[in-house]
Structures are given as structure tokens and as C-alpha cells.
Amino acid sequence: MVAGDVTAVLRVTHQMRQVAREVFLITAAIVLYFGVRGLMTTRIDTAYRNAGNVIALEQSTGIFVEPQLQESVIRHGWLAEVLGYIYIYGHWPVVLATLLWLLIRHREAYGLFRNAMLLSGAAGLVIFAAFPVAPPRFLTGYGFVDTVSERTSAYRVLQPPAFVNQYAAVPSLHFGWNLLMGIAVASLGAHWIIRLFGWLMPVLMFCAIVLTANHYIVDGVAGGVIALLGLLAAYRLGRKPRWARRLR
């Protein structure tokens, strides 16, 4: 009995150390990501010119509907407020909670999705540096309204403009990383309600990033594509757990 108790304690201690190590790694990666992004020097005129190019692209393809959609949302104050809360509290709290759940309950899957986030984040930093873009909320001339800041200062307090690159709209990893977490939850959730949450979460976040004027439709799509490419690369480079067949 004593030997068994000692073995159990050692196992728990080992697991706790692993969790602590991964928590430190993810925290360091997030700090590094935002630190590098915030320190990037951006030519503001270039960011606005690139924003104009993004809008021109959407206009040429007939998908520049963000101002009209946002106007419809603003007419319903409660809906704009709900989307703001989804944008603020549906991202990092959900991403970090999902990573912790994967780390504790699905260790092999955790490594895959962690690496997918790291790879897509690295790709995002390269694009932010090469192609800075002003977000829609800065382009009030098109009718965009920053509904997040208008209704609450919480998000700008959590990510002060002085420490965040405000001209990194493309790609939207705000959506891309939620898409990764949605795939994880939809693939591994034990109950259909949990799996349904995994399906709906990225859809709601895509709506939130666009309808709060924080991202364009194009960069939401770009963020999703880069996140999926990161997942594919992580899958190709890592071990192939049996459950990963569901991702196909």
C-alpha cells in the first residue's frame, strides 16, 4: 500500500510539473508574440494604404458588406453589446481554457494544437511586419464604428494601445486561434453539447470580429487559412495520434 501511495504521489507530481512547464511555455509564447508585434515599427500611411487595398479587393469581389452589416447590428444595441462581449471574453479565456483542458485530458492533442498555434503565430508576425493594415474601426469614413471601445474600455485596458500594434489587422488570428480551439473541442468533446460549442464558437467569433469593426471579412478568412495551415504543418511534423483521423 505504501509503495502504491508513493507511486501515485510521484505520478501526480510529475503531471503537475508537466502542466507547470507547459503553462510557462504558453505564457512566454503569448508575451513574446504580443511583445514582438507591439515593437514592430509601422508606417501608418502604408497601413492605411494597405487597408484601402483590402477594401478595394472586397469591393471587386462583391463582399464589402461590413459597414451595412454593422449598421444593422448597431440598430439593435443589445446585439452589438453581445458581439462585443464575445469578441473580448470569447477569445483568450476560451483559448486558454481549451489548451488547459487538452493538456490535462488529451495530452497528445494538446501538443498538436499548441504547435499549430505557435506556427501560425510565427507566420502571422511575418505578415504583420510585411503587410501592416489599419483595422476597419480606424476608417470611420466608410461608416465603421468601434463598438467595442464605445460600449466598454475592458478590452483596450487588457491590451493597451501603447503596447499593441494597432495596425496588425491581417491576418485575424483572433479568429484563427478560436478556429483551432473549436476543432479541438468538436473533435474531442465527450458530450454533444460540448461538441456543438466547438462548432459554434468559431462562427460566433468570426461574426464578432467583423461586426465590431475590428477585422475585415478577408482577414478573417486569411486568419482561418493560416491557422489551418499551422495545424496541417503541426500534424505533418509531429506524431500521428489515432484520434487525429477525425480532423480529416
Side-chain angles (χ1 to χ4, degrees), residues 176-233:
W177 287 344
N178 270 71
L179 177 61
L180 290 177
M181 298 303 100
I183 292 172
V185 173
S187 301
L188 297 166
H191 195 279
W192 71 267
I193 293 178
I194 297 175
R195 293 194 297 274
L196 179 62
F197 174 74
W199 283 104
L200 292 178
M201 173 181 51
V203 176
L204 292 174
M205 184 54 70
F206 190 91
C207 293
I209 65 170
V210 171
L211 297 176
T212 60
N214 277 279
H215 290 279
Y216 308 92
I217 290 174
V218 163
D219 57 83
V221 173
V225 169
I226 288 172
L228 291 176
L229 289 175
L231 182 60
L232 177 62

Side-chain angles (χ1 to χ4, degrees), residues 4-240:
D5 291 342
V6 171
T7 301
V9 169
L10 290 175
R11 186 183 303 115
V12 170
T13 302
H14 177 66
Q15 290 175 343
M16 290 178 66
R17 285 178 179 171
Q18 285 184 313
V19 170
R21 184 181 67 236
E22 291 298 331
V23 168
F24 174 80
L25 173 64
I26 290 297
T27 302
I30 291 171
V31 170
L32 179 63
Y33 171 79
F34 280 106
V36 171
R37 203 175 85 161
L39 289 173
M40 287 177 180
T41 56
T42 300
R43 285 184 54 120
I44 296 177
D45 57 337
T46 301
Y48 277 93
R49 185 167 59 249
N50 288 338
N53 293 334
V54 170
I55 290 174
L57 173 63
E58 290 195 349
Q59 288 173 331
S60 68
T61 55
I63 61 171
F64 184 61
V65 295
E66 293 96 320
Q68 297 94 314
L69 292 175
Q70 195 187 31
E71 184 180 357
S72 300
V73 167
I74 291 173
R75 289 200 202 104
H76 304 84
W78 65 269
L79 182 55
E81 194 160 342
V82 167
L83 288 168
Y85 279 109
I86 291 173
Y87 181 82
I88 298 170
Y89 300 109
H91 182 55
W92 282 116
V94 170
V95 169
L96 295 177
T98 304
L99 285 174
L100 184 60
W101 169 69
L102 290 173
L103 178 59
I104 295 172
R105 299 293 300 273
H106 304 280
R107 188 63 57 83
E108 284 186 325
Y110 166 78
L112 176 67
F113 286 96
R114 174 202 61 198
N115 292 342
M117 280 189 65
L118 295 176
L119 290 169
S120 57
L125 288 176
V126 173
I127 297 172
F128 296 149
F131 190 71
V133 178
R137 67 178 185 272
F138 288 173
L139 305 179
T140 55
Y142 287 91
F144 290 113
V145 179
D146 184 358
T147 56
V148 172
S149 294
E150 189 179 78
R151 284 169 167 74
T152 175
S153 61
Y155 194 67
R156 308 304 174 210
V157 170
L158 290 172
Q159 295 192 38
F163 299 99
V164 177
N165 188 337
Q166 298 294 295
Y167 301 97
V170 178
S172 173
L173 292 178
H174 199 107
F175 166 68
W177 287 344
N178 270 71
L179 177 61
L180 290 177
M181 298 303 100
I183 292 172
V185 173
S187 301
L188 297 166
H191 195 279
W192 71 267
I193 293 178
I194 297 175
R195 293 194 297 274
L196 179 62
F197 174 74
W199 283 104
L200 292 178
M201 173 181 51
V203 176
L204 292 174
M205 184 54 70
F206 190 91
C207 293
I209 65 170
V210 171
L211 297 176
T212 60
N214 277 279
H215 290 279
Y216 308 92
I217 290 174
V218 163
D219 57 83
V221 173
V225 169
I226 288 172
L228 291 176
L229 289 175
L231 182 60
L232 177 62
Y235 178 78
R236 296 286 188 189
L237 294 172
R239 291 185 301 170
K240 311 300 187 299

